[in-house]
Amino acid sequence: MLDFFAIFSKGGIVLWCFQGAGVTEPFAGPVNALIRSVILQERSGSNSFTHNALSLKYKLDNEFELVFVVGFQRILTLTYVDKFIDDVQLHFRDRYKNELEQKGAMKFLLNDFEFEDDFKSLLRDAEESGRVRNPVAMRNFTESQKSQKTVKSMIESKGESKNKAQGGKKNKNAKKDVFYSQNILPCLLHLYSKSPKPQKPKTKEMRVWDMGGTKTKELDYSDDKVNGSYDAAGTDTEQAEPLYFLTLPSLLHRAKKGAFGGMFSMLKGLVGSKSLTRDDMESVLDKMRDHLIAKNVAADIASQLCESIAKKLEGKVMGTFTTVASTVKQALQDSLVQILQPKRRVDILRDVLEARAQRKPFIITFCGVNGVGKSTNLAKISFWLIENGYTVLIAACDTFRAGAVEQLRTHQRRLNSLHPPEQNGGRPMVQLFEKGYGKDAAGIAMEAIAYARNQGFDVVLVDTAGRMQDNAPLMTALAKLIAVNTPDLVLFVGEALVGNEAVDQLVKFNQALADHSMSDKPRLIDGIVLTKFDTIDDKVGAAISMTYITGQPIVFVGTGQTYNDLRSLNARAVVNALMKA
């Protein structure tokens, strides 16, 4: 039933593996795809992954830095797989705990993990439990709980909703009580058991005010005011009860209210030498999720990131005096940097040079929704290519928007004035290829590429019409243009101002390109140009949303309205801005 089962370290060392009977294909391909597409890109919020005809389930063991992966045919419905992978993990940990606790990566190479007999026994038990489970008969209405309800029970009185809300709070308070009793109370009791026992203050007698006394000293009672102040009646105000006389419930109550100052309020967030659990991280992750959403990260992406961090840290052993908040924040920062780092080489100048060696132009197609700055950033990239000594042909394939061709012609004229033909052997560095309005964009792009090949241009930049992701006819036309002309690079131009909309745009653009492609391996978006980055201050969440949803790098960032305002993305700077309070 199972194609394979593999246990390997996060460093890539395979500890043990199993391959099903009759399975000849190696499992390295699916496992590498899982590592590349899920684990390295911090998408481990879900424990399943699909690769071609295989379904993969995996589980991370953060204490010993292990990954457990099982693969089976996607058409099969194996209900026992989740419990089976948990059982294998626990059994493997228990059997080889001493070997796994050794320091360094050599522990994986020096030890021999003979696990086949145990694995087959667990697999046999899991398959039998899956067969024994009988189908549950459907209940009729009389057997359901709904049939027992009366009309009176469905009517909610005034105080019921309030009581329900208070009942929900009790569960949270119960968790807090357990945390304080297990972590903070031992520290408090240890400190105050060794402190000297203070004497309980005596109650002052009631002072009687009379008209006696003729001297100032006789009327001065300041010497009697030792510990406390007097009220109008002449009695002491209430003294703070010494900590020695506090009972355990009152001690717990004061610790939770922060009555012991900064030192003990700090103890609340400390976890010393224990494994992190989901409950420990819950409150911190909720704050992190809200912070990411406030910084313009799409809500779904923020939730998936926090879920991935929880799985990454769950079971990890914390050091003494290490706060949960700092650990979660550091893990989130590392994950965000990992997401923004390109997964493949992004070097357009080198690619152009390789295309020139093959005597063909390098083709870049720009796509995106209306008004994001496709034509403007196309002109910026043209200027950047010209500065590096390459000739550019602009294909005006936006035959829909009025003024689109004239806008590109203006950019062509200005770019040629910055690099006059006289300085380049009489040949203009930028030319515009246009056929007017109302024509087929795919046909114009094909003619422009043929013209560039004949005239020896280095780069062809294809400008397309802006279109909303829900406009099916225009999305079909874009998919046709890309499928017919097979550009070397498809860049999606998006605004840095959008939040949740960025996810919808990219998902639907990619889906349209896949649906209308004539190839088995459709051409999707290869990179992102993020515009208007200078207008968002530290709300840089759109960069995370776009990169996370596509897995493609941000190639350029637009930071202004002049030709020089084009930058490459600095992942560390973006993450620092994102995590800034």
Side-chain angles (χ1 to χ4, degrees):
M1 299 289 280
L2 301 182
D3 281 34
F4 69 88
F5 195 106
I7 304 173
F8 58 92
S9 71
K10 289 186 178 179
I13 301 172
V14 178
L15 277 63
W16 182 85
C17 62
F18 162 82
Q19 215 155 1
V23 179
T24 56
E25 294 183 4
F27 61 84
V31 171
N32 286 335
L34 171 70
I35 296 170
R36 186 170 53 250
S37 303
V38 178
I39 297 175
L40 291 181
Q41 295 192 25
E42 303 298 337
R43 301 173 189 270
S44 52
S46 172
N47 67 337
S48 59
F49 174 69
T50 302
H51 178 74
N52 298 333
L54 288 178
S55 285
L56 276 68
K57 295 263 187 179
Y58 63 94
K59 187 172 181 65
L60 305 179
D61 189 322
N62 297 307
E63 183 178 354
F64 296 120
E65 300 290 321
L66 300 178
V67 184
F68 297 78
V69 183
V70 59
F72 54 93
Q73 292 297 317
R74 192 166 56 177
I75 59 173
L76 300 177
T77 304
L78 304 181
T79 57
Y80 61 83
V81 169
D82 290 324
K83 183 179 181 304
F84 173 64
I85 199 169
D86 290 340
D87 293 342
V88 172
Q89 181 207 11
L90 293 174
H91 200 84
F92 190 84
R93 281 168 51 100
D94 292 342
R95 178 167 176 178
Y96 298 106
K97 185 175 182 180
N98 295 331
E99 290 84 347
L100 295 173
E101 285 178 343
Q102 296 174 14
K103 300 290 184 182
M106 292 300 292
K107 62 185 178 184
F108 299 128
L109 299 175
L110 298 177
N111 292 300
D112 190 15
F113 299 94
E114 293 291 340
F115 193 63
E116 187 168 355
D117 294 337
D118 296 339
F119 175 82
K120 288 183 177 179
S121 175
L122 291 171
L123 179 60
R124 189 163 48 251
D125 294 342
E127 289 178 345
E128 287 176 1
S129 66
R131 292 193 199 99
V132 168
R133 188 176 299 168
N134 295 322
V136 180
M138 186 177 292
R139 294 179 300 174
N140 55 34
F141 179 73
T142 57
E143 296 172 344
S144 66
Q145 293 181 357
K146 189 178 286 187
S147 66
Q148 309 300 324
K149 287 186 178 180
T150 61
V151 176
K152 185 178 179 181
S153 67
M154 299 180 188
I155 299 173
E156 190 176 283
S157 60
K158 280 187 177 180
E160 280 186 12
S161 58
K162 201 171 186 180
N163 293 335
K164 286 180 183 177
Q166 290 176 353
K169 289 181 180 177
K170 286 180 183 177
N171 294 331
K172 283 193 174 180
N173 292 333
K175 287 183 181 179
K176 288 182 180 178
D177 289 345
V178 171
F179 175 81
Y180 282 108
S181 63
Q182 290 180 351
N183 295 278
I184 293 182
L185 268 180
C187 300
L188 296 177
L189 293 174
H190 176 71
L191 288 171
Y192 287 99
S193 64
K194 295 192 175 184
S195 62
K197 300 179 182 179
Q199 298 295 324
K200 200 163 186 176
K202 298 178 180 179
T203 308
K204 294 280 184 180
E205 294 181 359
M206 182 80 71
R207 178 179 297 121
V208 179
W209 296 93
D210 54 12
M211 301 302 293
T214 57
K215 297 181 180 179
T216 308
K217 290 185 178 180
E218 294 176 1
L219 299 174
D220 184 9
Y221 293 96
S222 59
D223 293 339
D224 295 334
K225 182 181 172 186
V226 179
N227 291 320
S229 58
Y230 295 102
D231 57 11
T235 57
D236 286 336
T237 55
E238 184 181 355
Q239 295 284 336
E241 190 177 5
L243 293 171
Y244 181 80
F245 298 104
L246 289 177
T247 60
L248 281 180
S250 59
L251 194 64
L252 181 63
H253 177 68
R254 289 191 174 214
K256 284 194 285 187
K257 292 182 70 175
F260 298 131
M263 175 181 173
F264 296 104
S265 62
M266 182 184 70
L267 286 172
K268 177 181 176 181
L270 297 182
V271 180
S273 299
K274 61 165 285 190
S275 297
L276 271 178
T277 64
R278 188 66 69 103
D279 291 338
D280 295 333
M281 298 181 284
E282 186 177 0
S283 59
V284 181
L285 288 173
D286 287 342
K287 291 179 182 177
M288 289 293 180
R289 185 183 298 107
D290 294 340
H291 178 79
L292 290 175
I293 293 172
K295 289 299 181 85
N296 224 13
V297 179
D300 290 343
I301 304 299
S303 299
Q304 291 175 34
L305 279 171
C306 291
E307 183 65 25
S308 177
I309 295 299
K311 286 202 171 186
K312 185 178 180 180
L313 294 179
E314 191 174 4
K316 186 175 182 181
V317 177
M318 304 293 299
T320 307
F321 293 105
T322 304
T323 62
V324 177
S326 63
T327 303
V328 172
K329 185 176 180 181
Q330 186 59 47
L332 183 60
Q333 282 183 326
D334 295 341
S335 299
L336 293 174
V337 171
Q338 185 70 30
I339 289 168
L340 290 175
Q341 293 286 4
K343 309 301 180 296
R344 56 182 176 81
R345 178 178 61 84
V346 180
D347 191 348
I348 293 178
L349 296 178
R350 180 176 174 180
D351 294 338
V352 172
L353 196 61
E354 291 176 356
R356 178 197 275 180
Q358 299 174 13
R359 298 182 178 276
K360 65 176 186 178
F362 187 80
I363 306 162
I364 305 176
T365 299
F366 295 80
C367 62
V369 300
N370 308 75
V372 295
K374 288 185 299 300
S375 301
T376 303
N377 283 275
L378 181 146
K380 291 180 184 178
I381 293 174
S382 298
F383 177 76
W384 175 68
L385 290 168
I386 294 166
E387 288 285 310
N388 284 279
Y390 296 112
T391 55
V392 177
L393 178 67
I394 301 174
C397 296
D398 184 356
T399 62
F400 183 77
R401 176 172 64 91
V405 176
E406 287 76 13
Q407 181 184 5
L408 292 176
R409 188 176 290 119
T410 301
H411 282 305
Q412 177 215 2
R413 186 171 62 251
R414 289 181 176 177
L415 290 170
N416 280 326
S417 66
L418 293 172
H419 294 82
E422 296 79 18
Q423 298 178 4
N424 300 284
R427 180 181 180 180
M429 295 295 288
V430 184
Q431 286 190 34
L432 177 66
F433 187 92
E434 53 95 6
K435 293 290 183 179
Y437 295 98
K439 305 290 175 54
D440 179 40
I444 296 175
M446 184 180 290
E447 293 180 28
I449 293 168
Y451 178 80
R453 187 178 290 108
N454 294 332
Q455 298 297 320
F457 281 92
D458 298 319
V459 185
V460 178
L461 302 181
V462 180
D463 185 34
T464 62
R467 63 205 76 210
M468 296 306 294
Q469 63 269 24
D470 298 319
N471 192 325
L474 287 179
M475 294 304 297
T476 305
L478 177 64
K480 175 188 172 185
L481 184 149
I482 293 174
V484 169
N485 295 287
T486 60
D488 298 290
L489 193 63
V490 179
L491 294 180
F492 176 85
V493 184
E495 285 182 331
L497 302 168
V498 296
N500 290 309
E501 185 68 12
V503 176
D504 189 53
Q505 289 174 6
L506 281 163
V507 167
K508 290 189 175 177
F509 263 81
N510 264 335
Q511 190 62 47
L513 294 179
D515 291 344
H516 300 101
S517 175
M518 295 173 287
S519 171
D520 294 335
K521 293 184 178 180
R523 186 63 182 280
L524 305 178
I525 291 168
D526 300 317
I528 299 166
V529 178
L530 203 56
T531 66
K532 306 177 185 178
F533 208 70
D534 55 318
T535 64
I536 57 172
D537 193 25
D538 60 351
K539 298 187 183 298
V540 294
I544 299 293
S545 300
M546 290 183 175
T547 310
Y548 188 88
I549 202 66
T550 60
Q552 301 299 338
I554 295 176
V555 182
F556 295 109
V557 174
T559 59
Q561 299 183 16
T562 66
Y563 291 136
N564 287 314
D565 294 327
L566 193 70
R567 302 285 184 272
S568 58
L569 186 74
N570 186 334
R572 288 281 176 189
V574 170
V575 172
N576 290 338
L578 192 67
M579 299 303 294
K580 188 170 65 175

